[in-house]
Amino acid sequence: MEKQLDYIFIDTSVFQSEAFFKKDGRISRLFNLAKEGRIAILMPEITRREWLKHFKDNTKQNFTEILKKASYIGTDESESFVYDQKKMEKSYDNMVEQSFKHHLVQAKVIIIPISYAKINLESIIDKYFNKEKPFGINGKSKEFPDAFILASLEAYAREKQIDSIKVFSKDKDIVLYNDKLFVQSNVNDFLNNILKEQEQEEKDIARLCNYIDNNINNYINRIESNIEDFLSDESIYFNRFDCVEINDVIVNNVKIDKSDQKIELLSIDEETISIWYFMDVEADVQVSHFCEEESIWDSEEKRYLYEKYNNTNVHILSSVKIIFEMNRIESEADQSISVEIKGINTDDLQDVIDDDHYKYIFG
């Protein structure tokens, strides 16, 4: 079962109170999680504009006072300084805006167009006059932006079949707007839970890797058998021998050993972990293939009078990726590890058989 992605919405008030994109701050940590693909940040267009406005206002440097006092000096040097400061002021404003865009792109933030709010426009107007959430008792017009933001999220979630959105906000009325979709969350608690999950994942991954390292011999025979079956397939040598007919393949001396390549995480969810485990392969294969140069062709009868087949020895040095999967639930419950081979990836092996020289010429 694929792990369900956490969709989150960060209200502007939280963006401000958490010190914007301060390094090691909570917003930066959330954005790093989004960059890693662990969460998805949803941002309606209205929210993006609110964020940008407050980001620019709160990071703006006061160049006016510097320019004013520097002008009192009245020298060529001070005029040059004023000129440089004016250039710096323009450059700084541009840097702030570009850095904002950079953060959003890096975190793959999903910007929800205003058009999504229009889908629920009539509902928003009804809620305003009926004094329903997110509007207060007096139905203040300043709450309209919140209404459009929430309507955008609601429409987007409906279209993308998103069951829940974790909301980080200081306004409880926001969650009450649709408490089945929006889940009130605390930034610190959320990050701590993610950290605990990461720590447990790291422990499980280490446990799986250690287990395979210590028990790889139990899987050797099966892996060798699979590789021999693969190498015995005549079709995998067609590219190597320019697509001529392959008459026979004899596989000799297949040897496999643990590779120096680092184990790679393939996938992880609440129930399973899958990894790539690299193994070096060495083998000698004798391939019997048609040789056009030494065969005799009758142009009138349009057939070969004599067909010549050559035996070519192919020495293979390559690697394969073994897909090992561990059941996290069973392994934890039984205090023993439940691991099985889910597949063997032979792409690297096929590349070597095809021969690099051939690939560069025809690839």
Side-chain angles (χ1 to χ4, degrees):
M1 181 182 73
E2 188 176 350
K3 185 177 181 180
Q4 188 173 357
L5 187 66
D6 282 326
Y7 290 90
I8 72 168
F9 166 68
I10 309 168
D11 193 21
T12 305
S13 59
V14 174
F15 179 54
Q16 291 177 277
S17 65
E18 293 294 341
F20 306 98
F21 295 110
K22 180 181 178 181
K23 282 191 175 181
D24 298 326
R26 294 189 180 99
I27 297 297
S28 290
R29 289 169 65 189
L30 287 171
F31 269 59
N32 285 334
L33 288 172
K35 182 179 177 182
E36 295 167 4
R38 297 183 66 92
I39 63 173
I41 299 174
L42 302 179
M43 184 177 291
E45 174 60 21
I46 296 174
T47 303
R48 186 195 70 80
R49 295 185 189 184
E50 285 183 349
W51 274 39
L52 180 57
K53 179 184 182 302
H54 289 288
F55 185 59
K56 290 169 75 173
D57 289 348
N58 284 272
T59 55
K60 187 173 181 61
Q61 298 297 311
N62 188 0
F63 288 90
T64 304
E65 191 68 18
I66 297 173
L67 296 173
K68 180 181 177 182
K69 292 188 176 180
S71 68
Y72 294 164
I73 300 173
T75 63
D76 291 342
E77 290 81 359
S78 66
E79 287 181 6
S80 177
F81 178 80
V82 169
Y83 175 76
D84 289 340
Q85 289 298 307
K86 285 181 178 179
K87 282 178 63 180
M88 186 181 295
E89 183 176 16
K90 256 186 206 179
S91 174
Y92 184 83
D93 290 344
N94 182 63
M95 179 197 72
V96 170
E97 189 154 348
Q98 291 304 314
S99 68
F100 181 80
K101 291 179 182 177
H102 175 76
H103 285 300
L104 268 57
V105 170
Q106 287 288 99
K108 305 167 191 170
V109 173
I110 300 171
I111 304 297
I112 303 175
I114 294 176
S115 58
Y116 278 84
K118 293 178 182 177
I119 297 172
N120 295 328
L121 182 58
E122 187 174 344
S123 174
I124 292 171
I125 301 299
D126 288 341
K127 288 178 184 296
Y128 172 70
F129 284 107
N130 293 330
K131 299 177 182 178
E132 297 176 19
K133 303 299 182 184
F135 299 102
I137 295 175
N138 297 319
K140 296 176 182 177
S141 60
K142 70 177 184 180
E143 290 164 336
F144 264 104
D146 284 345
F148 281 106
I149 288 168
L150 294 168
S152 298
L153 290 166
E154 193 175 34
Y156 183 84
R158 186 164 54 246
E159 179 184 292
K160 303 299 181 181
Q161 298 182 326
I162 297 172
D163 295 328
S164 67
I165 299 173
K166 288 182 170 58
V167 175
F168 304 121
S169 175
K170 296 180 178 296
D171 187 352
K172 292 182 179 178
D173 288 342
I174 286 181
V175 178
L176 294 176
Y177 170 81
N178 184 344
D179 56 3
K180 291 182 180 178
L181 174 63
F182 301 125
V183 180
Q184 180 75 36
S185 300
N186 177 277
V187 179
N188 196 50
D189 291 343
F190 179 79
L191 288 170
N192 285 340
N193 287 335
I194 289 284
L195 183 60
K196 289 176 184 176
E197 286 179 10
Q198 288 178 317
E199 290 175 349
Q200 187 58 51
E201 287 174 2
E202 289 171 3
K203 288 178 182 178
D204 287 347
I205 292 168
R207 190 179 181 199
L208 172 57
C209 293
N210 289 335
Y211 175 84
I212 295 172
D213 279 341
N214 294 327
N215 296 274
I216 190 62
N217 290 336
N218 297 337
Y219 301 94
I220 290 291
N221 289 339
R222 179 182 169 186
I223 297 170
E224 283 185 347
S225 177
N226 275 271
I227 292 173
E228 284 184 16
D229 289 343
F230 175 78
L231 294 175
S232 299
D233 183 356
E234 297 174 0
S235 66
I236 68 173
Y237 302 95
F238 286 163
N239 287 344
R240 178 66 177 256
F241 294 99
D242 296 338
C243 300
V244 300
E245 181 183 353
I246 306 296
N247 186 48
D248 191 24
V249 174
I250 300 174
V251 181
N252 299 309
N253 304 323
V254 176
K255 296 178 183 177
I256 63 171
D257 197 5
K258 179 186 173 183
S259 172
D260 291 333
Q261 293 188 69
K262 188 177 180 181
I263 293 170
E264 293 181 14
L265 179 65
L266 183 59
S267 66
I268 186 166
D269 57 37
E270 294 175 355
E271 296 182 359
T272 61
I273 299 175
S274 295
I275 62 167
W276 290 123
Y277 188 88
F278 295 88
M279 299 205 73
D280 292 330
V281 176
E282 183 173 7
D284 289 298
V285 181
Q286 182 178 284
V287 181
S288 176
H289 58 92
F290 179 70
C291 179
E292 186 177 2
E293 292 81 3
E294 298 182 37
S295 298
I296 300 174
W297 173 257
D298 188 323
S299 57
E300 291 184 2
E301 295 190 22
K302 308 295 184 185
R303 67 183 181 86
Y304 282 102
L305 300 177
Y306 170 71
E307 295 182 355
K308 171 66 175 177
Y309 285 83
N310 288 341
N311 293 325
T312 299
N313 291 318
V314 179
H315 184 65
I316 297 169
L317 283 173
S318 184
S319 64
V320 292
K321 291 180 280 193
I322 317 299
I323 305 173
F324 281 103
E325 182 180 278
M326 181 181 85
N327 188 306
R328 297 179 72 188
I329 297 174
E330 289 181 6
S331 297
E332 185 66 27
D334 299 339
Q335 297 300 313
S336 61
I337 295 203
S338 174
V339 177
E340 58 181 313
I341 294 177
K342 283 295 183 179
I344 299 177
N345 184 293
T346 55
D347 289 349
D348 294 339
L349 193 54
Q350 181 68 66
D351 286 345
V352 169
I353 292 169
D354 287 344
D355 185 61
D356 287 339
H357 178 66
Y358 176 89
K359 287 194 299 180
Y360 287 132
I361 294 175
F362 300 98

